[in-house]
Amino acid sequence: MAILSQTSEYALRAATVLAQHEAHGPVHVAVLADALDVPRNYLSKTLSQLARVGVLDSVRGKHGGFLLARPRNQITLYEIVEPFERFDSVRRCLLGQPECTAKAACPAHAAWSALGDRVVRFLRHTTLADLAKGHTRWPNQAALEAATD
Protein backbone atom coordinates (compact mmCIF):
# COMPACT_ATOMS: atom_id res chain seq x y z
CA MET A 1 0.00 0.00 0.00
CA ALA A 2 1.47 3.32 -1.05
CA ILE A 3 0.84 6.23 1.28
CA LEU A 4 2.48 8.79 -1.02
CA SER A 5 2.32 9.16 -4.77
CA GLN A 6 5.23 8.17 -6.96
CA THR A 7 5.85 11.86 -7.67
CA SER A 8 6.21 12.55 -3.94
CA GLU A 9 8.56 9.60 -3.58
CA TYR A 10 10.76 10.89 -6.42
CA ALA A 11 10.71 14.37 -4.90
CA LEU A 12 11.77 13.04 -1.49
CA ARG A 13 14.51 10.89 -2.96
CA ALA A 14 15.94 13.70 -5.08
CA ALA A 15 15.77 16.21 -2.23
CA THR A 16 17.56 13.75 0.03
CA VAL A 17 20.36 13.39 -2.50
CA LEU A 18 20.62 17.17 -2.73
CA ALA A 19 20.75 17.38 1.08
CA GLN A 20 23.50 14.77 1.21
CA HIS A 21 25.53 16.60 -1.45
CA GLU A 22 24.68 20.23 -0.68
CA ALA A 23 28.35 21.16 -0.28
CA HIS A 24 28.93 20.26 -3.95
CA GLY A 25 26.57 22.90 -5.33
CA PRO A 26 23.92 22.33 -7.99
CA VAL A 27 23.32 18.79 -9.21
CA HIS A 28 22.11 18.36 -12.79
CA VAL A 29 18.75 16.64 -13.21
CA ALA A 30 20.35 14.03 -15.49
CA VAL A 31 22.73 13.03 -12.69
CA LEU A 32 19.87 12.80 -10.22
CA ALA A 33 17.72 10.80 -12.63
CA ASP A 34 20.56 8.37 -13.34
CA ALA A 35 21.46 7.99 -9.66
CA LEU A 36 17.85 7.37 -8.63
CA ASP A 37 16.93 5.35 -11.73
CA VAL A 38 13.89 7.51 -12.47
CA PRO A 39 12.67 9.08 -15.73
CA ARG A 40 14.59 12.30 -16.40
CA ASN A 41 11.72 14.34 -17.85
CA TYR A 42 9.37 13.34 -15.03
CA LEU A 43 11.99 14.21 -12.41
CA SER A 44 12.73 17.52 -14.15
CA LYS A 45 9.06 18.55 -13.94
CA THR A 46 8.89 17.44 -10.31
CA LEU A 47 12.00 19.40 -9.32
CA SER A 48 10.83 22.46 -11.27
CA GLN A 49 7.64 22.40 -9.21
CA LEU A 50 9.72 22.29 -6.01
CA ALA A 51 11.69 25.27 -7.27
CA ARG A 52 8.44 27.18 -7.94
CA VAL A 53 7.31 26.67 -4.32
CA GLY A 54 10.69 27.67 -2.87
CA VAL A 55 12.05 24.32 -1.71
CA LEU A 56 14.75 24.17 -4.38
CA ASP A 57 16.72 26.67 -6.42
CA SER A 58 17.38 26.08 -10.09
CA VAL A 59 20.67 27.19 -11.62
CA ARG A 60 20.98 27.47 -15.41
CA GLY A 61 24.07 26.89 -17.48
CA LYS A 62 26.79 24.34 -18.03
CA HIS A 63 27.35 23.78 -14.31
CA GLY A 64 23.72 24.29 -13.40
CA GLY A 65 21.17 22.05 -11.81
CA PHE A 66 19.15 21.99 -8.63
CA LEU A 67 20.10 22.69 -5.05
CA LEU A 68 18.29 23.29 -1.79
CA ALA A 69 16.84 26.78 -1.41
CA ARG A 70 17.46 26.75 2.35
CA PRO A 71 19.58 24.72 4.78
CA ARG A 72 18.42 21.12 4.98
CA ASN A 73 17.41 21.43 8.63
CA GLN A 74 14.88 24.12 7.62
CA ILE A 75 13.05 22.07 4.97
CA THR A 76 10.38 19.65 6.16
CA LEU A 77 9.28 16.60 4.26
CA TYR A 78 5.79 18.08 4.25
CA GLU A 79 7.04 21.04 2.18
CA ILE A 80 8.47 18.59 -0.35
CA VAL A 81 5.38 16.42 -0.80
CA GLU A 82 2.65 19.02 -0.24
CA PRO A 83 2.67 20.26 -3.87
CA PHE A 84 1.85 16.71 -5.01
CA GLU A 85 -0.52 15.46 -2.28
CA ARG A 86 -3.89 16.47 -0.82
CA PHE A 87 -3.42 16.04 2.91
CA ASP A 88 -5.70 18.75 4.18
CA SER A 89 -8.66 17.95 1.97
CA VAL A 90 -11.13 15.18 2.73
CA ARG A 91 -9.29 11.88 2.76
CA ARG A 92 -10.54 9.15 0.52
CA CYS A 93 -12.42 6.38 2.29
CA LEU A 94 -10.41 3.18 2.63
CA LEU A 95 -13.50 1.18 1.64
CA GLY A 96 -14.45 3.53 -1.21
CA GLN A 97 -17.62 4.96 0.30
CA PRO A 98 -18.59 8.27 -1.32
CA GLU A 99 -19.26 9.81 2.12
CA CYS A 100 -17.06 8.79 5.03
CA THR A 101 -17.10 11.25 7.90
CA ALA A 102 -17.40 11.06 11.66
CA LYS A 103 -21.19 11.19 11.22
CA ALA A 104 -21.32 8.61 8.40
CA ALA A 105 -18.24 6.52 9.06
CA CYS A 106 -17.19 3.24 7.51
CA PRO A 107 -15.82 0.56 9.89
CA ALA A 108 -12.23 1.67 9.15
CA HIS A 109 -12.79 5.44 9.44
CA ALA A 110 -11.38 6.11 12.91
CA ALA A 111 -8.20 4.06 12.44
CA TRP A 112 -7.69 5.25 8.85
CA SER A 113 -8.06 8.92 9.85
CA ALA A 114 -5.68 8.46 12.77
CA LEU A 115 -3.10 6.90 10.46
CA GLY A 116 -3.40 9.83 8.04
CA ASP A 117 -2.94 12.27 10.92
CA ARG A 118 0.22 10.42 12.05
CA VAL A 119 1.66 10.51 8.51
CA VAL A 120 1.09 14.26 8.26
CA ARG A 121 2.62 14.80 11.71
CA PHE A 122 5.70 12.78 10.67
CA LEU A 123 6.08 14.80 7.45
CA ARG A 124 5.67 18.14 9.27
CA HIS A 125 8.23 17.27 11.99
CA THR A 126 10.89 15.50 9.91
CA THR A 127 13.45 17.54 7.99
CA LEU A 128 15.79 16.77 5.14
CA ALA A 129 18.60 16.88 7.68
CA ASP A 130 16.97 13.90 9.39
CA LEU A 131 16.89 11.95 6.11
CA ALA A 132 20.40 12.98 5.08
CA LYS A 133 21.94 11.37 8.17
CA GLY A 134 23.84 8.19 7.59
CA HIS A 135 24.53 6.60 4.26
CA THR A 136 21.90 5.81 1.67
CA ARG A 137 22.74 3.66 -1.34
CA TRP A 138 20.93 4.87 -4.44
CA PRO A 139 20.28 2.58 -7.43
CA ASN A 140 23.17 4.09 -9.41
CA GLN A 141 25.42 5.35 -6.62
CA ALA A 142 28.51 5.32 -8.85
CA ALA A 143 27.02 7.90 -11.26
CA LEU A 144 26.17 10.18 -8.36
CA GLU A 145 29.61 9.91 -6.78
CA ALA A 146 31.37 10.55 -10.10
CA ALA A 147 29.29 13.67 -10.73
CA THR A 148 29.55 15.18 -7.26
CA ASP A 149 33.20 14.49 -6.42
Side-chain angles (χ1 to χ4, degrees), residues 116-130:
D117 292 343
R118 286 195 342 242
V119 168
V120 170
R121 225 176 2 264
F122 168 78
L123 295 170
R124 285 190 186 276
H125 293 88
T126 306
T127 67
L128 274 178
D130 297 322

Side-chain angles (χ1 to χ4, degrees), residues 2-81:
I3 293 176
L4 298 175
S5 67
Q6 185 173 45
T7 304
S8 289
E9 180 188 330
Y10 288 172
L12 285 170
R13 291 167 63 189
T16 301
V17 169
L18 294 174
Q20 290 172 331
H21 295 88
E22 68 182 337
H24 298 285
V27 180
H28 196 276
V29 70
V31 172
L32 289 167
D34 286 348
L36 300 173
D37 194 27
V38 300
R40 180 180 174 183
N41 289 339
Y42 189 35
L43 186 62
S44 179
K45 290 176 185 176
T46 301
L47 299 182
S48 293
Q49 177 64 27
L50 290 176
R52 279 191 290 282
V53 298
V55 172
L56 300 180
D57 281 332
S58 176
V59 178
R60 293 185 176 265
K62 183 178 179 183
H63 300 289
F66 290 93
L67 66 159
L68 301 179
R70 300 185 309 278
R72 60 188 181 182
N73 66 338
Q74 294 178 14
I75 300 173
T76 66
L77 305 189
Y78 187 87
E79 291 178 85
I80 297 166
V81 301

